[in-house]
Amino acid sequence: MARYFDVHPDNPQARSITQVADIVRGGGLVAYPTDSGFALGCRMGDKDALERIKKLRQLDDKHHFTLVVSEFAHLGEYVQMDNRVFRAVKAATPGPYTFILPATRELPRAMLHAKKKTVGVRVPDHVTALALLSELGTPLTSSSLILPDATEPMTDGWTIADELGNLVDAVLDSGDVGVGPTTVVDLSGDEPVVVRAGAGDPSPFE
């Protein structure tokens, strides 16, 4: 069964955050809150954990995993951005957006879209998610916690622990999860393409 960690939304208890980070470092899969519903997170490029996410969500190789970082400045190490894209992404972060961009060679192949060699990236605007990222000191590989028969991410930590307790290793809950999935914008081509309209305002990219 998953370990359940209940932390304060404004000042998450450091001991709990460290314990969840240790689970991630050890190859575990965790459910954690963001500004756009709960997400599944694991160590960057962990193939076994990525397969667990695919199985849980019933995903195929066309799915874009998301690299979640604590601040915009870290993105340049992992994705390629020209000046136009740089300005657009910076203006929208942190926030409930996922941007699809060409990956650099720093990223493990297992994370990338099989044909396009692209990856999703985002910077959440959520205290608990940022605390976990800060403790880890590295990005999370992530995917919205949207079950196969659903269109919206799960938003209740107790429900996740009850329904998915055998499928994840930890549930980190601060009771203040955002509602609705991220807005997904593909910036890998000549023009922006809104792949999914969600919690972030899509109008700047339409």
Side-chain angles (χ1 to χ4, degrees):
M1 289 295 292
R3 296 181 65 185
Y4 180 81
F5 297 87
D6 186 11
V7 298
H8 193 278
D10 298 320
N11 188 25
Q13 290 86 337
R15 183 170 182 271
S16 294
I17 296 296
T18 298
Q19 288 177 310
V20 176
D22 285 342
I23 290 171
V24 172
R25 293 187 187 106
L29 178 63
V30 304
Y32 68 99
T34 77
D35 49 346
S36 55
F38 270 85
L40 297 166
C42 66
R43 186 175 55 192
M44 187 171 67
D46 188 313
K47 292 183 179 180
D48 291 339
L50 291 176
E51 287 302 317
R52 291 174 66 186
I53 294 175
K54 286 182 178 180
K55 185 175 181 180
L56 193 160
R57 291 200 53 199
Q58 297 181 15
L59 301 171
D60 59 25
D61 289 338
K62 296 180 180 179
H63 177 74
H64 273 101
F65 283 103
T66 300
L67 191 72
V68 182
V69 301
S70 59
E71 55 184 284
F72 173 80
H74 295 162
L75 289 178
E77 183 177 352
Y78 305 105
V79 291
Q80 302 172 42
M81 296 183 285
D82 61 21
N83 289 336
R84 174 184 61 87
V85 171
F86 180 96
R87 290 192 296 269
V89 174
K90 187 175 184 180
T93 55
Y97 292 91
T98 299
F99 297 102
I100 298 172
L101 291 163
T104 67
R105 294 181 180 180
E106 298 297 320
L107 285 183
R109 185 178 295 272
M111 285 185 57
L112 309 184
H113 187 283
K115 293 183 179 180
K116 298 179 179 179
K117 308 307 179 190
T118 49
V119 68
V121 292
R122 72 170 303 225
V123 185
D125 186 14
H126 193 277
V127 171
T128 303
L130 293 174
L132 177 58
L133 288 164
S134 177
E135 172 61 29
L136 280 170
T138 59
L140 277 167
T141 299
S142 195
S143 181
S144 297
L145 209 177
I146 303 174
L147 296 180
D149 58 350
T151 58
E152 299 285 320
M154 298 184 77
T155 57
D156 182 74
W158 276 111
T159 301
I160 294 168
D162 182 53
E163 294 185 7
L164 306 180
N166 293 321
L167 300 175
V168 298
D169 300 302
V171 177
L172 177 60
D173 189 9
S174 51
D176 61 341
V177 66
V179 177
T182 58
T183 291
V184 180
V185 184
D186 189 339
L187 294 174
S188 63
D190 294 333
E191 296 293 335
V193 176
V194 177
V195 178
R196 178 181 70 196
D201 180 9
S203 61
F205 304 97
E206 293 178 329

